[in-house]
Amino acid sequence: MRNIIPLLRYMALCLVVFSGSFSSMRAQLNTEQVTLMGRAALGLDDYVMALRYFNAVIEATPRQANAYFLRAQAKFSLDDYQGAEVDCSTAIDLNPFRAEYYELRGLCRIRRSAYKEAIADYGCVLEENPYNQTALYNKAICHLAVKEYGKVDSATSVILQRWSNFRNAYLVKAQSRLEQKDTLGGLYWIDSLLTITKREPVAWSFKGIYALKKGEYAQADSFLTQAIIYDARQFEHYLLRAQARNALFRFDGAIADYGKVIDFVPEHYVAHYNRGLLRALVGDNNRAIKDFDFVLSLEPQNTIARYNRALLREQTGNMRGAIEDYTQIIKQFPSFYAGYIARARCRRRIGDVRGAVNDETVVARVQLDLAFAQKRRQPIRKVVRRSELEMKNYQQLIEEDADTAQLSATLTDALHGKVQNKHTERQLLPAFTIAVQTTSAPVYYLLELQQFNVQTKTSEKLVLTRYHHADTLSEEVMERYEQLANVVQADSLLLRSVLRRQTYNLNGAQQDLAILKQKDSTNTLVLWQEALLLTDRAKTMVAEKQAMSPSAKLVTLQLEEALAVYDRLLAFSPRNAYAYYNRALVCIALHRQKEAMDNLAQAIKMDRRFAEAYYNRGILAWEAGHIDTAIADFGRAGELGLYQAYNLLKQLHKAK
């Protein structure tokens, strides 16, 4: 009950603040109250809401250092380490005497692998308090990362003199020794840790890996079992123990361990592959085939997995499936004659005598050539044979690529909480469009539209939005404008053209636009409508699959003309950020990525709070391989309210 009361109080505060917009209450914002609400949101792991609160405080009082620090905490927990570091730097510029600012910035820099800069930050923290355990430990981690092993030993020794039970310090010392090829020294610190506590899974894992390397499989099994007892959630322990059990011919136990790995990580390639081999070894052929099916769904070109599946299909009587697999292998390895023999065997079993004879003839010719030391007239196609594709290794278990002997140093990180884990597709945000006001679409300010809406005498108003939905329009509105056969007023013509485009009547919209252009070809709203219609026509052609015909040129011409219209629009309205944004999307459709990036940069220059421009530029930067630029842009887009950017930010960190 005690936990519910703060939550209810927090929800009530949310209702109070967001009953009106921040902009409307900026002048009278109670920054202390909003800061308290932001802290409450942080405490409840609601980082997006916390971000909104601290944005409001910073907008109202831009020189309040602590607001930047608190916003940095929210960004850090959303995996926006670059944005959090910038906020910490701003807080330090405003108030350089708060150690926690340096401490958080150091943590951000570690996440970005900027270890030397992080060392400098932790040095500032330790100047104020030489026995700050977290700062000492994280500084040791940074020294380890840049291979300053003497400083690692010095920092960890200070920790152990004061806190002899600090387990992570022993692990860092062991890691340091291991990286210096001093395995016995590493074991000494691991054993020292185990005299303090037996409940340390990483220590048991270290001993298990060492025993595996020495070939002491029974000991490795025992040590890794201890690691699993004390931490059953680390799938790496099961993966290692499966290797030991396989070497001890305890196949059922190894299969069970690979099954546990798959329970934790369903897409784990190594576990599926090795479990398939072991199931085949114990005669569980049908389930072994399922494992190799999964491996081949991930890696269709994995020839040894395909060969194993072919053998299993043959053993289970699926001759046609086996023939299909053998054929794929022979295409990739024309000199793999065991494949011809196996395929001939399967073909004979289904009555394909002619095919079998052809395969056997290929093998017989090769045997004759070898017997008489003759060269083949047709040279065999050379194939790059990677070690994992050597067919003689088809029954050999595979291991992880990573060096499992490395201990993973754990950061002391009190700020880490839940992150936004919703899946977001990496897709560009759509163009801004002119539409008749609908209740469901968010709208954006454009001076020309405001002036138009003030001047027009109709009840319908035009807005700028990223979405427009025909099904939200009133039929009565559509009928009223369609009945205006001889419209003279430009306002009504423009409204009808927009309505027609909104309901996908592009020909009707174009007819109205032609009349409008005769009346006033310099009207910026007319230019907007013209550019939007041109891009709509190009999209329609592509959707109708005409792009492979001569109409592909027409698509390009339509898009080129749209660019020219946006250029005319920008000549009349040079600070129109939305026009630059839309122009960038047309450039992308024409595969002019560099020009699109330049247009988005111009849009951001015109409006530093243009979240959509940052978002799309982040996607283009990601596709071009400019990861740091993409991270910065997604962080800025998230800060400005496009919270799905944090989901892409998380994907970027994984890809990095």
Side-chain angles (χ1 to χ4, degrees):
M1 187 66 184
R2 251 180 301 176
N3 293 331
I4 294 175
I5 292 171
L7 178 61
L8 293 174
R9 187 179 299 135
Y10 165 65
M11 290 173 66
L13 291 171
C14 289
L15 289 173
V16 169
V17 169
F18 290 106
S19 59
S21 67
F22 278 132
S23 58
S24 63
M25 51 187 277
R26 201 171 296 154
Q28 54 193 14
L29 186 71
N30 185 334
T31 55
E32 290 184 10
Q33 185 70 17
V34 176
T35 300
L36 284 174
M37 290 187 281
R39 287 180 180 276
L42 281 176
L44 293 167
D45 294 339
D46 190 350
Y47 302 118
V48 164
M49 185 62 74
L51 197 67
R52 294 178 68 183
Y53 285 127
F54 298 132
N55 280 343
V57 174
I58 289 167
E59 193 170 343
T61 54
R63 297 195 61 77
Q64 189 183 135
N66 206 45
Y68 289 98
F69 171 66
L70 292 170
R71 188 172 73 175
Q73 291 186 34
K75 288 182 178 180
F76 180 90
S77 296
L78 289 163
D79 291 352
D80 181 11
Y81 309 124
Q82 190 167 325
E85 182 184 337
V86 169
D87 276 350
C88 285
S89 297
T90 304
I92 290 167
D93 289 342
L94 293 171
N95 183 359
F97 305 108
R98 297 286 294 273
E100 60 266 35
Y101 298 173
Y102 295 95
E103 197 164 355
L104 178 55
R105 188 171 71 174
L107 202 53
C108 294
R109 286 173 165 174
I110 290 175
R111 297 291 187 194
R112 295 182 52 243
S113 302
Y115 299 109
K116 288 192 175 293
E117 292 87 345
I119 288 169
D121 279 335
Y122 286 118
C124 294
V125 175
L126 292 169
E127 282 180 12
E128 181 175 316
N129 180 4
Y131 293 104
N132 183 315
Q133 186 189 77
T134 299
L136 280 167
Y137 175 70
N138 284 356
K139 190 167 182 277
I141 293 286
C142 294
H143 286 305
L144 183 64
V146 296
K147 303 186 184 307
E148 295 175 346
Y149 300 117
K151 293 180 179 179
V152 173
D153 288 340
S154 174
T156 49
S157 295
V158 171
I159 293 172
L160 292 176
Q161 286 171 9
R162 194 171 182 88
W163 303 281
S164 59
N165 291 332
F166 189 66
R167 295 178 294 176
N168 283 344
Y170 290 94
L171 294 175
V172 172
K173 277 189 172 291
Q175 177 76 22
S176 176
R177 297 292 181 185
L178 184 68
E179 291 186 12
Q180 296 175 74
K181 311 300 181 185
D182 180 8
T183 307
L184 291 177
L187 280 172
Y188 168 80
W189 287 108
I190 290 296
D191 289 334
S192 298
L193 173 57
L194 290 173
T195 59
I196 296 172
T197 175
K198 298 291 183 185
R199 305 176 65 85
E200 185 50 61
V202 178
W204 289 112
S205 178
F206 178 94
K207 291 175 74 71
I209 293 168
Y210 182 65
L212 266 178
K213 287 191 168 185
K214 290 180 65 180
E216 298 171 350
Y217 300 115
Q219 272 200 331
D221 187 354
S222 174
F223 292 147
L224 291 164
T225 299
Q226 289 295 314
I228 289 167
I229 288 170
Y230 297 124
D231 187 356
R233 298 167 299 172
Q234 291 297 322
F235 70 87
E236 292 89 350
H237 299 156
Y238 294 99
L239 202 61
L240 292 165
R241 190 173 70 174
Q243 292 180 35
R245 288 181 168 180
N246 176 64
L248 293 167
F249 303 103
R250 295 178 57 190
F251 301 127
D252 288 342
I255 289 170
D257 278 344
Y258 285 127
K260 291 293 289 185
V261 174
I262 291 165
D263 288 342
F264 286 113
V265 188
E267 69 279 6
H268 201 289
Y269 160 78
V270 171
H272 276 285
Y273 184 93
N274 288 351
R275 188 175 69 174
L277 282 181
L278 293 176
R279 281 175 165 175
L281 194 62
V282 300
D284 191 358
N285 292 342
N286 287 319
R287 289 204 285 180
I289 288 172
K290 288 183 179 179
D291 276 328
F292 286 116
D293 285 343
F294 185 85
V295 170
L296 289 167
S297 72
L298 295 177
E299 290 190 3
Q301 299 303 315
N302 190 316
T303 313
I304 53 173
R306 190 173 295 281
Y307 184 56
N308 277 298
R309 188 175 72 174
L311 293 171
L312 289 165
R313 283 176 162 180
E314 186 178 348
Q315 290 174 27
T316 55
N318 181 4
M319 296 303 147
R320 295 191 183 279
I323 289 169
E324 181 185 329
D325 280 339
Y326 288 133
T327 301
Q328 289 291 325
I329 294 164
I330 290 167
K331 283 180 180 178
Q332 190 171 358
F333 290 91
S335 59
F336 180 59
Y337 302 112
Y340 291 96
I341 294 169
R343 187 169 69 177
R345 187 170 59 239
C346 294
R347 283 175 165 173
R348 284 194 179 279
R349 290 184 63 180
I350 64 171
D352 181 10
V353 177
R354 184 176 179 181
V357 169
N358 288 338
D359 284 340
E360 290 160 353
T361 301
V362 171
V363 177
R365 284 177 180 170
V366 172
Q367 289 172 337
L368 284 170
D369 286 348
L370 291 173
F372 291 99
Q374 292 178 355
K375 293 184 179 180
R376 297 178 60 108
R377 291 181 182 177
Q378 278 190 322
I380 300 169
R381 179 172 60 89
K382 291 184 178 180
V383 179
V384 178
R385 294 171 69 90
R386 298 178 300 168
S387 60
E388 66 268 24
L389 292 180
E390 291 288 352
M391 302 308 297
K392 63 185 180 183
N393 296 331
Y394 74 95
Q395 286 184 318
Q396 182 176 318
L397 295 183
I398 60 176
E399 297 182 16
E400 288 274 35
D401 292 335
D403 184 2
T404 51
Q406 295 291 314
L407 289 172
S408 57
T410 306
L411 295 171
T412 301
D413 176 1
L415 295 171
H416 187 64
K418 293 186 296 183
V419 295
Q420 310 304 309
N421 289 322
K422 295 177 182 177
H423 180 68
T424 297
E425 295 290 342
R426 188 173 69 182
Q427 293 179 340
L428 293 166
L429 296 176
F432 284 86
T433 185
I434 296 174
V436 171
Q437 173 76 66
T438 61
T439 56
S440 60
V443 298
Y444 299 79
Y445 175 77
L446 188 64
L447 177 62
E448 294 90 336
L449 284 176
Q450 184 189 39
Q451 292 172 346
F452 176 88
N453 289 331
V454 169
Q455 293 169 4
T456 186
K457 297 179 181 179
T458 61
S459 57
E460 285 71 46
K461 304 298 179 186
L462 291 182
V463 296
L464 188 70
T465 180
R466 281 196 288 118
Y467 304 96
H468 63 275
H469 306 285
D471 54 2
T472 61
L473 293 172
S474 164
E475 290 185 11
E476 181 268 328
V477 171
M478 290 303 306
E479 288 176 4
R480 175 152 38 96
Y481 278 88
E482 287 299 333
Q483 287 171 2
L484 296 175
N486 298 309
V487 180
V488 178
Q489 299 89 349
D491 291 351
S492 297
L493 263 176
L494 180 60
L495 276 166
R496 189 170 71 178
S497 182
V498 169
L499 283 167
R500 283 175 164 175
R501 177 178 167 270
Q502 205 164 339
T503 53
Y504 310 106
N505 177 6
L506 300 186
N507 289 331
Q510 185 65 48
Q511 290 170 9
D512 287 339
L513 182 66
I515 301 170
L516 281 167
K517 287 171 68 176
Q518 290 176 357
K519 290 177 176 292
D520 186 0
S521 60
T522 63
N523 186 314
T524 54
L525 294 183
V526 172
L527 291 170
W528 266 106
Q529 181 69 352
E530 183 180 3
L532 292 169
L533 272 170
L534 286 165
T535 51
D536 280 353
R537 285 190 175 282
K539 288 176 187 175
T540 303
M541 291 175 189
V542 173
E544 291 173 354
K545 299 183 180 178
Q546 296 175 1
M548 298 305 293
S549 70
S551 297
K553 293 182 179 179
L554 184 57
V555 171
T556 302
L557 287 172
Q558 295 272 340
L559 294 173
E560 292 278 9
E561 193 175 344
L563 286 183
V565 174
Y566 279 121
D567 288 340
R568 293 206 302 275
L569 172 58
L570 287 164
F572 292 112
S573 180
R575 299 194 60 80
N576 193 321
Y578 301 111
Y580 279 112
Y581 173 91
N582 279 12
R583 194 182 189 283
L585 288 169
V586 178
C587 288
I588 293 167
L590 288 166
H591 307 291
R592 300 181 187 173
Q593 314 302 100
K594 173 66 170 60
E595 191 175 347
M597 291 283 279
D598 292 342
N599 281 174
L600 290 171
Q602 281 295 324
I604 291 167
K605 184 178 178 181
M606 299 301 126
D607 182 359
R608 293 292 180 185
R609 301 183 61 80
F610 200 162
E612 291 84 358
Y614 286 106
Y615 188 94
N616 280 358
R617 191 173 69 171
I619 289 177
L620 291 180
W622 187 352
E623 291 174 349
H626 305 313
I627 304 302
D628 289 337
T629 302
I631 287 172
D633 280 340
F634 286 140
R636 184 68 173 139
E639 178 188 320
L640 292 169
L642 279 175
Y643 302 122
Q644 68 264 38
Y646 289 118
N647 311 134
L648 294 181
L649 197 62
K650 186 175 182 182
Q651 293 177 37
L652 258 180
H653 286 306
K654 287 182 179 179
K656 204 175 176 183

